[in-house]
Amino acid sequence: AQKITQTQPGMFVQEKEAVTLDCTYDTSDPSYGLFWYKQPSSGEMIFLIYQGSYDQQNATEGRYSLNFQKARKSANLVISASQLGDSAMYFCAMRELGTSYGKLTFGQGTILTVHP
Amino acid sequence: EAGVAQSPRYKIIEKRQSVAFWCNPISGHATLYWYQQILGQGPKLLIQFQNNGVVDDSQLPKDRFSAERLKGVDSTLKIQPAKLEDSAVYLCASSLELLAGELFFGEGSRLTVL
């Protein structure tokens, strides 16, 4: 079974608008962490934001926020005030801290295109 | 602080040839990962080291892939013999601890097998 599911192969957004990238996960481990990474066309993986399974509040980092709904097992990334430089592939990932030696498992990714 | 270093950035080989990729993690990072990323897909973990010991190599095709981290610092990933389906970007990452913190990635090594 897929551990991380990203159902949007591609998303388009107008510059300065907000966009939500969807991510659902599947785990029976009560202790886990959720990550979002950005991969521009140059190929490097850039860490954006982290949410721990026991964190009470949704994580925020500048223009990035993570909408964490534990009961629904979803961890959507919200990018506010989109910029042209946000155009990239975005990956949701999970570390299961009790069962999988902390390995990071990635989803299939969502390509975000920001239009001027 | 220097990031994760990888080389070579690009490599083109014929099928059945061999290739090796090198990775130097961030200083002090005990955990090192090799991921394979096929075009259009998310990265897939090949092998994970904690210091110089293997933690997880369940998805490493051991008939052709090998990896080592002899002194617990830098690491080498080898493919021998290469197949067409090995064409991918090989990403090395490191983290400070086994169960905490984000992974820091290198720029990757792009392999094309002809």
Side-chain angles (χ1 to χ4, degrees):
Chain A
Q2 285 272 47
K3 294 258 187 185
I4 296 284
T5 304
Q6 295 180 253
T7 57
Q8 306 154 314
M11 288 286 286
F12 296 88
V13 66
Q14 206 72 25
E15 195 178 8
K16 299 178 186 174
E17 298 289 314
V19 63
T20 298
L21 305 184
D22 294 342
C23 173
T24 58
Y25 59 92
D26 182 28
T27 181
S28 56
D29 191 335
S31 182
Y32 55 90
L34 297 158
F35 299 77
W36 278 91
Y37 279 84
K38 172 184 178 182
Q39 189 175 43
S41 56
S42 53
E44 75 268 34
M45 296 285 279
I46 302 166
F47 166 73
L48 297 178
I49 196 166
Y50 168 80
Q51 179 85 42
S53 58
Y54 296 115
D55 293 344
Q56 295 296 315
Q57 291 190 322
N58 287 345
T60 61
E61 288 286 348
R63 295 186 298 111
Y64 303 108
S65 60
L66 201 152
N67 184 2
F68 181 46
Q69 299 189 43
K70 195 170 182 177
R72 293 186 177 183
K73 292 189 175 179
S74 76
N76 298 341
L77 177 70
V78 181
I79 305 175
S80 63
S82 296
Q83 302 172 356
L84 296 178
D86 293 335
S87 292
M89 178 77 94
Y90 288 79
F91 290 100
C92 180
M94 176 174 65
R95 289 180 96 170
E96 294 169 286
L97 304 179
T99 58
S100 300
Y101 306 108
K103 79 176 183 183
L104 198 62
T105 302
F106 287 84
Q108 292 292 87
T110 296
I111 299 175
L112 176 66
T113 304
V114 181
H115 289 302
Chain B
E1 178 182 84
V4 177
Q6 288 189 247
S7 67
R9 287 294 314 277
Y10 305 93
K11 189 75 175 178
I12 301 173
I13 60 173
E14 301 276 338
K15 60 183 179 184
R16 290 187 289 273
Q17 287 187 324
S18 63
V19 63
F21 302 111
W22 175 80
C23 172
N24 194 27
I26 293 173
S27 178
H29 280 199
T31 314
L32 185 147
Y33 313 76
W34 283 102
Y35 281 85
Q36 179 192 58
Q37 186 177 21
I38 293 171
L39 187 65
Q41 298 182 16
K44 181 184 85 171
L45 180 71
L46 292 176
I47 190 166
Q48 178 180 344
F49 292 95
Q50 178 68 10
N51 297 308
N52 61 350
V54 175
V55 173
D56 185 349
D57 63 357
S58 57
Q59 298 191 89
L60 186 75
K62 297 180 185 66
D63 58 334
R64 299 183 299 106
F65 285 65
S66 64
E68 60 184 15
R69 192 185 184 199
L70 292 175
K71 296 182 179 178
V73 181
D74 58 344
S75 176
T76 302
L77 175 71
K78 296 179 182 177
I79 308 174
Q80 182 179 10
K83 291 186 175 181
L84 297 177
E85 58 260 37
D86 298 332
S87 294
V89 176
Y90 292 85
L91 294 164
C92 180
S94 69
S95 64
L96 191 59
E97 299 173 13
L98 186 63
L99 296 178
E102 74 266 33
L103 273 63
F104 295 84
F105 284 82
E107 292 181 306
S109 295
R110 183 178 297 276
L111 174 65
T112 301
V113 183
L114 302 176

